[in-house]
Amino acid sequence: MPIYCTYIIIAALLLVLELVYFRIADRFNIVDRPNERSSHNSIVIRGGGIIFLLAAWIWSAFFGFNYPWFLAGLTIVCGISLWDDIHSLPDSVRLIAQFTAMFMMFADLGMINWENWWMIAPALIVCVGIINAYNFMDGINGITSGYSLTVLLPLIILNHSIHFIEMSYLIVAAIACVVFSYFNFRPKGKAKCFAGDVGSIGIAFIVLLPLGKLILQTGDLTYILLLVVYGVDTILTICHRIMLHENLGQAHRKHAFQIMANELKIPHEVVSLGYMILQLIISLGLIYLSRMHWVYFLVAVIILCIAYLLFMKRYYHLHAQYLQSIEKK
């Protein structure tokens, strides 16, 4: 069977399974209700991002169970995240599951040995931080699946010249993002489902496998730039909230993309496209334009940080006014 036929079959399977999940979620009331952090104002099916876990299993069934520890870890972290989507779990339970799952991924990355013992702890902290950053950034229609596509595309390009993972893995992950985007990448109030923690954490886990293999194979840490837009927004927002003496565990709407969507009333799909295009430009620049990766890395990070600070200086007062109006109520 030609490979493109296999991908068409996988896409059809994922589409059918997503529709089946909608029926199950509707039957058991697995829905997302608006709260103070939300950028939506209607009840929508939650957990549609389970399609990413299903895509990993389907890829393994079609192309071989080449990463059993990764697949087991993904199943654990997605299972806990789905349960958290339905019934809230303590942070400690979710973190234990995430660290355990990431350690299992490290086994398939070949990192669990005496030579690499010194890097395991910091790598675990960074990687668990990345999947939680992905979760924090899942707040408007299309941003999770769209942004993930702009991470997968450069990985596909790089994989042509630096073969670090099976190309079919990246293509199936991209197909899952496209299928999910069909139901989610829509104007505000039009989405059929949200990713939920199971989706945002699941796709982050899936993206980290090839990114980890790329970094380990090349020894080039600057490839983390493929996630830099999310990274800068997340880290600077956390720093901002610390400066405001806020409880980091409480819901909020202080990310730059949230202020764009909520206070500036920019359509969700436009904001998501903006993040996608910005990340894609930076990633392609790293691939095609830069011979001095670390210089390019530093320049990109500095420019993004300055842009974030200038944006907040100009528009954060709108969010402050929103908070004041909530307090008066």
Side-chain angles (χ1 to χ4, degrees), residues 93-318:
V93 173
R94 290 187 284 109
L95 285 173
I96 289 171
Q98 291 167 10
F99 276 103
T100 301
M102 195 59 63
F103 188 83
M104 295 170 77
M105 181 199 287
F106 284 3
D108 275 337
L109 287 174
M111 293 177 60
I112 311 302
N113 54 60
W114 287 111
E115 293 180 1
N116 297 320
W117 65 267
W118 58 273
M119 72 168 65
I120 292 175
L124 279 173
I125 293 170
V126 170
C127 289
V128 170
I130 289 172
I131 64 175
N132 279 286
Y134 239 88
N135 191 28
F136 297 155
M137 295 293 291
D138 180 33
I140 60 173
N141 295 352
I143 196 165
T144 293
S145 56
Y147 187 82
S148 298
L149 277 173
T150 62
V151 176
L152 289 166
L153 179 58
L155 287 171
I156 289 171
I157 294 171
L158 286 164
N159 202 43
H160 278 291
S161 55
I162 311 169
H163 184 71
F164 50 90
I165 197 169
E166 295 84 349
M167 187 65 77
S168 59
Y169 175 95
L170 298 172
I171 293 174
V172 171
I175 289 171
C177 289
V178 171
V179 173
F180 180 76
S181 292
Y182 174 74
F183 297 105
N184 178 258
F185 205 142
R186 302 184 179 195
K188 182 178 179 180
K190 303 287 186 177
K192 299 295 183 182
C193 71
F194 293 151
D197 288 359
V198 62
S200 56
I201 289 177
I203 189 60
F205 200 84
I206 287 170
V207 164
L208 278 177
L209 177 67
L211 184 58
K213 289 178 73 68
L214 172 63
I215 291 173
L216 288 171
Q217 183 170 316
T218 62
D220 190 346
L221 288 173
T222 64
Y223 283 118
I224 199 68
L225 206 65
L226 299 181
L227 297 171
V228 72
V229 176
Y230 263 21
V232 168
D233 195 327
T234 299
I235 292 171
L236 292 187
T237 299
I238 290 173
C239 292
H240 187 194
R241 297 190 69 204
I242 291 172
M243 290 171 62
L244 294 172
H245 305 290
E246 291 186 354
N247 182 350
L248 297 181
Q250 289 183 344
H252 70 97
R253 301 198 326 187
K254 289 183 171 62
H255 285 289
F257 76 89
Q258 290 172 318
I259 293 175
M260 292 177 194
N262 297 315
E263 278 70 41
L264 297 180
K265 307 301 180 184
I266 301 174
H268 285 204
E269 66 275 20
V270 174
V271 177
S272 296
L273 278 171
Y275 271 65
M276 291 169 62
I277 293 170
L278 181 57
Q279 180 60 71
L280 191 58
I281 290 172
I282 293 170
S283 298
L284 294 179
L286 181 69
I287 295 172
Y288 292 118
L289 302 179
S290 176
R291 293 186 177 181
M292 296 182 293
H293 276 195
W294 279 109
V295 173
Y296 183 85
F297 177 91
L298 291 173
V299 170
V301 170
I302 290 170
I303 290 174
L304 283 175
C305 289
I306 291 172
Y308 175 95
L309 294 173
L310 291 175
F311 175 84
M312 285 297 176
K313 182 178 180 180
R314 180 163 185 178
Y315 295 113
Y316 181 74
H317 71 279
L318 298 174

